[in-house]
Amino acid sequence: MTMHPRTKEVLDYLDTCRAKLEKAVAELPGALHGERPGEDRWSVSEILEHLSLVEGRIDQLLMKELDAARAAGLAAERETSPVLPTLDLARVTNRSEPITAREGSLPTGTVSTDASLMLLRKLRRALRDAILAADGLALGTIRIPHPRLGTLDLYQWLAFVGGHEARHTAQIREVAAAVGAQAGD
């Protein structure tokens, strides 16, 4: 069965972002994953814990809204235009503008890289399964407020998940450069 082009676009983007994240993590020796590049900066392990906290909450929200929309008789998807250009991904991924994480998204520093990666993989499988089960439905008609970006449709929320991950992949690369340089001293 052929996947709807909008579903394929957002799932491909999520897959690309995840592959880049995992590559960035793998490029730094595991012994350095817990090292902070500065007092007020997160380690690689903390970044991954943050990502798992955020993705877990977003996944719950999206699945709840999707279930409600399906129960209300969500129509078939008629739109085929690209999704990614409809979200300001440059704003989401821009590391020059600091964003303070909400209390519930702050890492505890007690979760290992491996545990966070396992959880991230589990969360992504569940999200993909839910989206694939809804393939061909009008996900663009499900509108959910985002605290910083305004109201987004479900496709845009999926793009946001990838963009958020891309933002933190860049952060992991920054941390790796800093702690790698410190380790070389």
Side-chain angles (χ1 to χ4, degrees):
M1 183 171 131
T2 303
M3 198 181 315
H4 189 278
R6 296 184 111 203
T7 304
K8 181 172 177 10
E9 178 190 9
V10 293
L11 290 180
D12 285 351
Y13 181 63
L14 287 171
D15 290 346
T16 297
C17 292
R18 179 53 58 86
K20 289 178 181 179
L21 173 75
E22 295 219 15
K23 183 175 188 282
V25 171
E27 288 174 348
L28 182 67
L32 297 177
H33 288 181
E35 297 296 318
R36 288 178 158 198
E39 190 175 311
D40 60 341
R41 302 206 30 223
W42 292 345
S43 68
V44 169
S45 293
E46 289 170 319
I47 294 166
L48 293 171
E49 181 184 358
H50 164 76
L51 284 170
S52 66
L53 291 167
V54 171
E55 184 156 342
R57 277 201 336 275
I58 291 173
D59 288 5
Q60 285 180 340
L61 172 67
L62 299 184
M63 288 182 209
K64 178 180 142 221
E65 295 293 329
L66 177 57
D67 288 346
R70 288 175 102 167
L74 185 60
E77 183 63 81
R78 296 181 188 271
E79 183 63 54
T80 58
S81 62
V83 173
L84 297 181
T86 69
L87 182 65
D88 188 355
L89 286 168
R91 178 178 172 202
V92 173
T93 60
N94 183 359
R95 294 269 312 132
S96 69
E97 293 182 28
I99 296 174
T100 303
R102 294 176 164 200
E103 184 73 28
S105 300
L106 293 173
T108 62
T110 62
V111 181
S112 71
T113 295
D114 289 341
S116 289
L117 283 172
M118 277 182 32
L119 180 55
L120 280 168
R121 290 174 189 135
K122 179 182 173 184
L123 290 167
R124 186 58 56 84
R125 277 191 306 275
L127 181 62
R128 283 183 63 82
D129 289 349
I131 298 308
L132 287 170
D135 183 37
L137 296 177
L139 304 183
T141 63
I142 301 171
R143 316 260 315 147
I144 310 163
H146 183 281
R148 286 190 169 80
L149 301 174
T151 300
L152 304 178
D153 68 36
L154 198 130
Y155 291 117
Q156 291 170 319
W157 267 97
L158 294 168
F160 169 78
V161 169
H164 180 250
E165 198 163 86
R167 177 185 182 86
H168 288 293
T169 298
Q171 183 183 13
I172 287 171
R173 293 193 184 287
E174 293 165 12
V175 169
V179 300
Q182 291 169 3
D185 291 340

